């Protein structure tokens, strides 16, 4: 481009500038004149349109007014109300207007109730005492036609404009209102033939600013108010005229031409968007302005053409030389061998790496045939690829060579055909990249990956790997066995689907440790949970830990979770905990659990003021069974007796095997000794049927002793000693009986099978 000094130093440039300014001024004046004409025409058109619409609307409202006035005149006559309903309806509504847009006419009494309905002999049951058009006549003495606020009709649901006239008794007191309705759609139909363009329309307001109709914007603004807005203040103060203002409802600038509607408190305006009015002028202005600018630029452009062309040629030559130098520098520093050969396989370009490969650097090889630069064997091996590339097929392959020192080198070779616009191949772009180091790293990575894979397959824990998004990438065989997912099937699924741990206590889902490790970027604490097999539903108790996988920059790229199957360990721990409190043979509570329950039962009895009983039981003849039938049969007898014993007591009672053939029964929540005696009877009765032992029917009895809390002791050890002593007294006294401890100085008392209970111990 010429410099500014060169631009302003030539006389033709100054002359071209003056001509351009003259053209611009002429076109600007023409454009402004066209705008004034467009605006004046729009003002006159909108004013005439507002006058025409106002006259038509006023004529329609006069008709509505006369109709309501006639109805009000008739209902004010007392003799009309004495007529039969059908005759009264015809007389009253003979003056009501039957026109499009008009709804039914209602006559309201002084309380706002509907007493006459032009649409039905039986007036609807409704009260309108809360409506503004009723209050205007009753409270404000409005005697003319009153326009209410637009509301939805209670019958049709459509928006209506209620209009009313009050009527009065002969003494001048308020008698009620005559109410008619104009469907707001009537105004849209009246204005429907007009098209004022986008963002333009016709508005009808009450004098106080309440919106009655906005065409063609629909009914969304009906009932809103623009009271206090600058536009309404001008409507109210000026009465009629035109001005430009912004709408209070949508903020669009419009040309308003407005008039009052007859003698009614209504304002009609025609609002045309200023953008719509000036749209045609704007288009013309752009066209004329563009043409003017084009002429102005043409004048100036012609003056600069010759100077600019000369300087551009010089700049292009300099840039071409600079680009060639930059390209040569870039290609010489690329680690790949790059060269270009024409269709005859003669060289047109080769970078430094290629020249060094050919052994000619720094001497160029342009114009030389490729066979002159390669050995015969290498040329023969490469020629088929050259021929296919010259035929138009891209050639990309790997090859292995030996360098001058005998070292093996791996390369990626690319022969890219260069075709002209007709599709004829005019040469080849050749690129050879040494990938020896990458190959070595790939081999080492493969070996390392194979060692990791074999290690993961050999370990006994389940291993699950995921990427940074929580998608599963690997499962080892143990993980496949626990989850029921195959590794290829799980790939691409979220870790929440594949590894879903549940709480062993309430089976609710636990948070996923893999996602936690990814989010926190740190190893998670071990989590114990239940893993459900995908297909079989088998449940495994597992302990899961997870750690994030990061790259060398510390960015989390995934996570690894290890799940250890602890099902057998948990089962063993539960079994050991059970054996610590229950008898291994009968599965009854042992003495440790019995003591815990006894302590709780005594504390509860002390709070409630009740008692509890401790029974010691011993099988009669157990040693004989062991001696005759063997210890295994004796164990069977103990199990059967334990089952009968549990069936004879309450669910809240505790049956404990003390050891050998001794049993202890804890009976909490008793009211004296009689409930304990009742349980003792059941126990004795349970031994009446013979026991089935090794195919023999064996009769075995039971002896027992009873001690009560707090009568016979304040601790469980005391109660145990006293009940044990009473039991041995029962065995000495003849067996198959229960005896009650009476005190340290008294012999235990036989309570069963005696028919009556003797007084308890002191």
């Amino acid at each position: 481009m010429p410099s500014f000094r060169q631009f302003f130093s030539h006389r033709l440039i100054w002359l071209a500038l003056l001509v351009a300014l003259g053209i611009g001024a002429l076109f600007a004046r023409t454009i402004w004149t066209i705008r004034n004409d467009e605006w004046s025409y729009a003002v006159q058109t909108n004013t005439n349109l507002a006058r025409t619409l106002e006259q038509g609307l006023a004529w329609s409202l006069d008709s509505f007014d006369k109709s309501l006035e006639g109805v009000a005149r008739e209902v004010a006559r007392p003799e009309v109300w004495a007529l039969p309903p059908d005759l009264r309806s015809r007389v009253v509504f003979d003056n009501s207007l039957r026109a499009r847009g008009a709804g039914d006419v209602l006559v309201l009494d002084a309380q706002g109730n509907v007493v006459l309905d032009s649409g039905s002999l039986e007036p609807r049951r409704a009260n309108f005492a809360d409506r503004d058009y009723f209050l205007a006549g009753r409270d404000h003495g409005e005697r003319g036609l009153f326009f209410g606020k637009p509301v939805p009709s209670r019958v049709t649901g459509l928006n209506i404009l209620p209009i009313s006239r009050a009527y009065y008794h002969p003494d001048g007191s308020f008698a009620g209102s005559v109410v008619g309705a104009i469907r707001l759609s009537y105004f849209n139909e009246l204005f429907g033939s007009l098209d004022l363009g986008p963002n333009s329309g016709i508005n009808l307001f009450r004098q106080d600013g309440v919106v009655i109709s906005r065409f063609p914007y629909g009914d969304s603004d009906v009932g809103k108010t623009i009271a206090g807005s600058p536009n309404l203040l001008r409507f109210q103060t000026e009465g009629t005229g035109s001005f430009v203002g912004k709408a209070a409802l949508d903020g669009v600038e419009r040309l308003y031409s407005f008039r009052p509607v007859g003698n009614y408190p209504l304002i009609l305006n025609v609002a045309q968007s200023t953008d719509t009015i000036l749209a045609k002028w704007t288009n013309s202005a752009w066209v004329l302005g563009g043409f003017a600018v084009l002429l102005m630029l043409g004048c100036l452009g012609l003056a600069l053409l010759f100077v600019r062309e000369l300087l551009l040629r010089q700049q292009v030559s300099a840039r071409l030389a600079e680009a060639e130098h930059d390209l040569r520098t870039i290609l010489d520093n690329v680690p790949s061998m790059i060269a270009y050969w024409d269709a005859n396989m003669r060289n047109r370009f080769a970078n430094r790496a290629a020249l060094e490969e050919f052994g000619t650097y720094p001497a160029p090889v342009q114009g030389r045939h490729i066979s002159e630069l390669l050995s015969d064997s290498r040329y023969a091996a490469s020629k088929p690829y050259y021929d296919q590339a010259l035929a138009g097929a891209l050639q990309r392959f790997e090859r292995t060579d030996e360098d001058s020192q005998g070292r093996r080198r791996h390369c990626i070779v690319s022969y890219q055909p260069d075709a002209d616009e007709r599709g004829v191949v005019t040469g080849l772009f050749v690129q050879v990249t040494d990938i020896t180091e990458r190959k070595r790293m790939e081999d080492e990575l493969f070996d390392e990956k194979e060692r990791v894979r074999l290690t993961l397959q050999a370990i006994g824990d389940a291993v699950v790997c995921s990427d940074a998004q929580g998608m599963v990438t690997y499962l080892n065989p143990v993980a496949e066995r626990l989850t029921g997912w195959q590794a290829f099937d799980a790939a691409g699924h979220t870790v929440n689907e594949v590894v879903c741990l549940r709480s062993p206590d309430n089976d609710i889902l636990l948070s996923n440790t893999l996602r936690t490790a990814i989010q926190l970027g740190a190893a998670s604490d071990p989590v114990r949970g239940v893993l459900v097999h995908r297909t079989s539903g088998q449940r495994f108790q597992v302990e899961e830990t997870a750690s994030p996988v990061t790259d060398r920059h510390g960015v989390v790229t995934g996570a690894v979770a290890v799940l250890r199957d602890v099902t057998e360990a948990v089962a063993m721990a539960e079994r050991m905990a059970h054996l610590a409190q229950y008898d291994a043979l009968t599965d009854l509570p042992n003495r440790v659990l019995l003591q815990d329950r006894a302590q709780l039962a005594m504390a509860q009895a002390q709070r409630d003021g009740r008692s509890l009983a401790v029974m010691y039981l011993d099988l009669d003849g157990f040693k004989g069974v062991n001696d005759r039938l063997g210890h295994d049969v004796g164990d069977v007898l103990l199990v059967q007796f334990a089952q009968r014993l549990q069936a004879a007591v309450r669910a809240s009672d505790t049956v404990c095997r003390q050891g050998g053939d001794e049993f202890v029964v804890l009976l909490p929540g008793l009211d004296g000794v009689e409930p304990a005696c009742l349980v003792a009877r059941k126990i004795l009765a349970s031994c009446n049927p013979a026991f089935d032992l090794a195919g023999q029917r064996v009769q075995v009895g039971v002896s027992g002793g009873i001690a009560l809390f707090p009568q016979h002791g304040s601790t469980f050890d005391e109660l145990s000693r006293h009940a044990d002593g009473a039991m041995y007294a029962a065995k000495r006294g003849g067996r198959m009986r229960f005896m009650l401890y009476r005190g340290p100085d008294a012999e235990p008392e036989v309570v069963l099978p005696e028919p009556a209970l003797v007084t308890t111990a002191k």
Side-chain angles (χ1 to χ4, degrees):
M1 291 293 294
S3 64
F4 283 104
R5 186 167 185 175
Q6 290 174 320
F7 182 83
F8 289 107
S9 64
H10 205 286
R11 295 179 181 179
L12 290 177
I13 299 300
W14 283 103
L15 179 61
L17 183 60
L18 291 175
V19 172
L21 292 175
I23 292 173
L26 178 62
F27 274 89
R29 179 178 177 80
T30 302
I31 292 170
W32 189 253
T33 301
I34 294 174
R35 182 192 184 282
N36 290 337
D37 292 343
E38 288 283 349
W39 190 261
S40 299
Y41 177 76
V43 172
Q44 185 62 39
T45 300
N46 288 353
T47 301
N48 294 338
L49 181 58
R51 183 184 299 110
T52 302
L53 292 174
E54 179 269 329
Q55 291 173 354
L57 188 58
W59 181 86
S60 298
L61 293 177
D62 288 342
S63 300
F64 286 124
D65 189 15
K66 290 178 181 179
S67 172
L68 295 184
E69 186 178 11
V71 174
R73 184 171 57 253
E74 294 298 331
V75 296
R77 295 165 53 199
E79 59 270 19
V80 170
W81 295 98
L83 297 176
D86 56 345
L87 180 59
R88 179 175 55 202
S89 180
R90 288 197 300 271
V91 170
V92 170
F93 295 116
D94 181 60
N95 294 313
S96 63
L97 182 63
R98 306 295 182 184
R100 189 177 65 176
D104 294 336
V105 177
L106 305 177
V107 178
L108 312 180
D109 62 11
Q111 287 73 40
N113 298 312
V114 178
V115 293
L116 288 177
D117 189 340
S118 66
S120 173
L121 286 178
E122 183 68 26
R124 68 192 71 172
R125 294 182 180 180
N127 183 278
F128 297 92
D130 59 338
R131 297 302 176 91
D132 57 349
Y133 49 78
F134 178 80
L135 298 175
R138 188 189 70 179
D139 298 342
H140 305 297
E142 181 68 44
R143 290 184 174 271
L145 186 66
F146 181 81
F147 292 85
K149 187 175 181 180
V151 294
S153 171
R154 291 185 178 179
V155 177
T156 64
L158 301 175
N159 288 327
I160 60 171
L161 176 66
I163 55 178
S164 68
R165 268 188 174 276
Y167 66 94
Y168 300 88
H169 293 298
D171 60 359
S173 61
F174 176 74
S177 294
V178 178
V179 182
I182 303 175
R183 294 192 305 274
L184 294 187
S185 59
Y186 168 74
F187 297 110
N188 293 337
E189 294 171 2
L190 183 64
F191 305 147
S193 60
L194 303 176
D195 183 9
L196 301 178
N199 291 323
S200 304
I202 301 170
N203 305 313
L204 182 62
F205 303 94
R206 283 198 328 195
Q207 190 70 27
D208 59 358
V210 175
V211 178
I212 295 175
S213 175
R214 292 189 78 226
F215 178 82
Y217 306 107
D219 295 340
S220 60
D221 295 326
V222 170
K224 295 181 180 179
T225 179
I226 61 171
S229 66
N231 290 354
L232 182 63
L233 294 177
R234 294 195 65 172
F235 295 157
Q236 294 171 339
T237 55
E238 297 179 14
T240 182
S242 298
F243 69 90
V244 176
K246 286 189 176 181
L249 294 176
D250 55 17
V252 177
E253 185 181 74
R254 296 182 175 92
L255 169 64
Y256 292 96
S257 296
F258 60 96
R259 297 180 63 83
V261 179
N263 296 320
Y264 302 106
L266 301 176
I267 300 173
L268 174 74
N269 70 57
V270 176
Q272 191 171 14
S273 169
T274 56
D275 291 339
T276 302
I277 296 173
L278 299 177
K280 185 184 295 184
W281 170 81
T282 301
N283 292 335
S284 300
W286 277 109
V287 173
L288 292 176
F291 186 66
V293 170
L294 184 62
L295 290 177
M296 295 167 65
L297 293 177
C299 293
L300 297 176
L302 289 174
L304 296 174
L305 182 61
F306 294 105
V307 175
R308 177 180 177 277
E309 187 66 24
L310 178 60
L311 294 179
L312 284 178
R313 287 178 178 271
Q314 295 175 351
Q315 291 174 0
V316 167
S317 298
R319 288 176 181 173
L320 285 175
E322 183 180 357
E324 183 178 359
H325 177 267
D326 294 342
L327 180 61
R328 167 64 68 176
T329 302
I330 293 172
L331 293 178
D332 281 346
N333 288 277
V334 170
S336 299
M337 292 175 281
I338 299 174
Y340 187 91
W341 307 86
D342 63 17
N344 297 319
M345 294 306 295
R346 293 191 175 275
N347 182 267
R348 289 174 51 183
F349 172 82
N351 70 345
R352 178 171 179 170
L355 295 177
E356 290 176 346
E357 175 69 13
F358 296 145
T360 64
Y361 182 80
V365 294
Q366 290 181 356
R368 298 180 63 179
H369 195 273
I370 192 169
S371 60
E372 302 175 27
L373 303 172
L374 300 178
S375 64
D376 294 341
S377 59
R378 187 168 174 182
Y379 176 73
S382 302
K383 190 174 187 308
Y385 295 105
Y386 299 147
D387 295 339
Q388 293 183 45
L390 290 174
L394 173 65
Q395 303 296 304
R396 183 174 287 114
F397 56 92
E398 292 187 15
R399 92 179 165 207
T400 302
D401 297 323
E402 289 188 0
D403 60 12
S404 58
Q405 299 178 0
R407 294 175 299 185
R408 294 175 62 83
R409 293 191 310 169
H410 299 278
C411 300
I412 292 181
V413 182
S414 173
Y415 297 157
Q416 175 69 50
D418 181 22
D420 59 16
E421 58 186 13
R422 297 172 301 170
V424 178
V425 176
T426 59
L428 298 179
F429 179 81
V430 178
Q431 182 177 6
V432 181
T433 304
D434 190 342
I435 59 171
T436 303
E437 183 63 20
R438 192 183 79 183
K439 275 288 187 181
R440 183 188 65 78
M441 295 177 66
E442 287 178 354
D443 292 340
E444 291 181 356
L445 182 61
F446 177 80
D447 293 341
E448 183 68 21
K449 184 176 181 181
E450 188 66 14
R451 285 193 293 270
V452 171
R453 184 183 66 84
L454 294 175
T455 301
L456 293 178
Q457 288 183 347
I459 63 176
D461 294 335
V463 178
V464 180
C465 301
S466 75
D467 59 17
Q469 287 70 44
M471 309 301 289
V472 174
T473 58
Y474 175 78
L475 298 178
N476 73 341
V478 179
E480 291 178 340
R481 178 180 63 82
L482 291 181
T483 64
W485 288 79
Q486 296 297 318
F488 64 86
D489 192 22
H493 288 265
T494 65
V495 293
N496 291 336
E497 296 179 78
V498 179
V499 182
C500 183
L501 289 190
R502 296 182 176 273
S503 171
D505 300 325
N506 49 25
D507 209 39
I508 64 174
L509 290 176
L510 301 177
S511 60
N512 195 285
T513 56
L514 268 169
R515 288 198 176 276
T516 303
I518 293 173
Q519 294 169 359
L520 300 180
S524 64
D525 295 330
V527 175
R528 180 73 63 86
V530 176
L531 183 64
V532 181
H533 193 274
R534 179 190 182 192
T535 55
S536 68
Q538 184 178 0
R539 300 169 71 88
F540 297 96
Q541 290 272 2
V542 298
E543 185 176 82
E544 181 182 15
T545 57
S547 299
V549 178
T550 59
D551 59 16
R552 58 183 179 178
H553 303 294
V555 178
V556 176
T557 59
V560 176
V562 178
L563 295 89
R564 176 164 297 170
D565 186 356
V566 295
T567 305
E568 294 183 1
V570 171
M572 180 61 70
E574 292 176 351
R575 178 62 179 165
M576 295 300 294
H578 184 80
L579 291 177
Q581 294 184 323
Y582 288 84
D583 178 54
L585 176 62
T586 62
D587 203 34
L588 293 176
N590 59 16
R591 187 170 182 83
V592 175
L593 182 55
L594 175 65
Q595 287 180 335
D596 290 342
R597 293 185 180 180
Q599 296 297 333
L600 294 175
M602 287 190 293
Q604 184 67 36
Q606 193 171 12
R607 286 195 300 269
D608 298 341
R610 306 181 73 181
S611 64
L612 61 84
V614 176
M615 290 183 177
Y616 264 63
L617 309 176
D618 187 83
L619 290 175
D620 299 332
F622 177 73
K623 184 175 183 303
V625 172
N626 273 344
D627 294 341
R628 293 196 321 271
L629 302 177
H631 289 280
D632 291 341
V633 177
D635 290 344
V636 173
L637 173 59
L638 292 175
V639 172
Q640 291 184 12
F641 178 70
Q643 294 171 350
R644 294 187 185 187
L645 196 57
Q646 283 183 303
V649 301
R650 302 170 299 178
S652 59
D653 300 334
T654 299
V655 178
C656 166
R657 184 187 176 206
Q658 181 78 354
D661 61 338
E662 287 190 2
F663 293 83
V664 181
V665 179
L666 175 67
L667 305 175
L670 302 181
D671 295 319
V673 71
E674 182 57 31
C677 292
L678 178 61
V679 174
R681 292 188 188 97
K682 291 182 179 180
I683 294 174
L684 287 174
S686 70
C687 292
N688 289 335
F691 290 89
D692 185 6
L693 303 175
Q696 299 183 30
R697 306 289 291 177
V698 179
Q699 192 72 41
V700 178
V702 63
S703 298
I706 304 173
L708 297 178
F709 172 85
Q711 295 94 322
H712 304 148
S714 59
T715 66
F716 180 69
D717 289 339
E718 288 182 304
L719 295 175
S720 298
R721 289 196 308 271
H722 297 158
D724 189 43
M727 179 193 71
Y728 278 103
K731 293 181 75 68
R732 291 193 304 270
R735 302 190 177 187
M736 280 298 292
R737 65 185 59 199
F738 274 80
M739 300 191 76
L740 176 67
Y741 176 79
R742 296 183 60 192
D745 300 326
E747 287 296 322
E749 175 185 0
V750 178
V751 295
L752 290 173
E754 295 295 326
L757 179 66
V758 183
T759 305
T760 58
K762 297 177 183 179

